[in-house]
Amino acid sequence: MDLKLMQAWRGVKDVCYGVRGLDLPLFLAKSDIRQRYRRSTLGPFWLTISTGVMIACLGLIFGKIFKSPINQFLPFLSAGLIIWGFISQVVIEATGVFTASEAIMKQLPIPYFSHVIRMVARNFIIFLHNLIIFPIVCLLFKIAPTATILLVIPGLALLILNLLWISLFLGIICTRYRDLTQIVSSLLQIAFYVTPIIWLPSLLPAKSSTMLLDPNPVYHLMQIVRCPLLNQPPTLLNWIVSIGMAVIGWLFTLMVFNRYRTRIAYWL
């Protein structure tokens, strides 16, 4: 009976061991960044430059198309694209998080969740590099931070908490069903256009805004980070949806992980 109970909770134990040994995936994440940009003079700041150029171009083009005030639209766009870049890259890499670590998983007894933490941490470091763009935009338009910006801390923590369970879940099902990777990429493209990233929510009529934005989980995850950056508190609905996603998502993912953890190695 005790053996069955231990097997039933093996996924939870793996997650706990992964969190307890946090130093290892964080070290590996930093090593990944160094390895990727080893021969580069600017390192990951090349991504920052390319992101900045894209924000400037899209800001000028879509600002004209949507007839939005540039001093309002460009900070909104820059914050949105930086956060979206973090979310989308994590989700894309999550589909292959275990297949990319196949050699390590078959040779070393590292918790499987450590590979998920490593991937999310690596993209979070790149996100921090890109985030440098936002203060520059604020300086250009003379936007001074207020105390509301402190809400970025719990917002980012909640966003990462959600991305961790999403990455673990996608890593499991995409290891078993490799074709789902393309479906996830297509869904990301749809989410990009239906989420206010390159367009302002104020452009929508009130009824359409309620129907399109309220059921959109990506919108709420972005708002808990983007709103504080723009000196606006996230709405209560943003917090409720984001927290609800974290609780329900983790409970469901742990159930799946408990059941299929031992099969992941055979699916690689």
Side-chain angles (χ1 to χ4, degrees), residues 80 84 87-88 91 183-199 212-213 215-222 226:
W84 171 256
I87 295 174
S88 61
V91 172
I183 297 176
V184 171
S185 298
S186 299
L187 290 175
L188 274 176
Q189 291 180 1
I190 296 172
F192 176 77
Y193 289 111
V194 300
T195 304
I197 300 171
I198 58 174
W199 51 272
L212 185 62
L213 300 183
N216 186 344
V218 180
Y219 169 70
H220 296 290
L221 288 177
M222 291 196 63
R226 178 170 56 188

Side-chain angles (χ1 to χ4, degrees), residues 15 50 58 121 126 129 134-136 208 230:
V15 171
S50 62
L58 291 179
I126 296 173
H129 283 87
F134 186 74
I136 297 173
S208 299
L230 299 173

Side-chain angles (χ1 to χ4, degrees), residues 90-102 105 115 119 122 167 170-172 174-175 178 181 268:
V90 167
V91 172
I92 289 171
E93 292 190 22
T95 59
V97 66
F98 292 134
T99 53
S101 305
E102 178 180 357
M105 292 176 66
H115 302 291
M119 182 271 295
R122 179 173 65 242
S167 299
L170 288 177
I172 296 169
C174 290
T175 301
R178 304 295 173 90
T181 300
L268 294 173

Side-chain angles (χ1 to χ4, degrees), residues 41-62:
T41 304
L42 295 178
F45 285 106
W46 276 116
L47 290 177
T48 305
I49 294 172
S50 62
T51 303
V53 172
M54 182 175 64
I55 289 171
C57 294
L58 291 179
L60 294 173
I61 295 171
F62 284 96

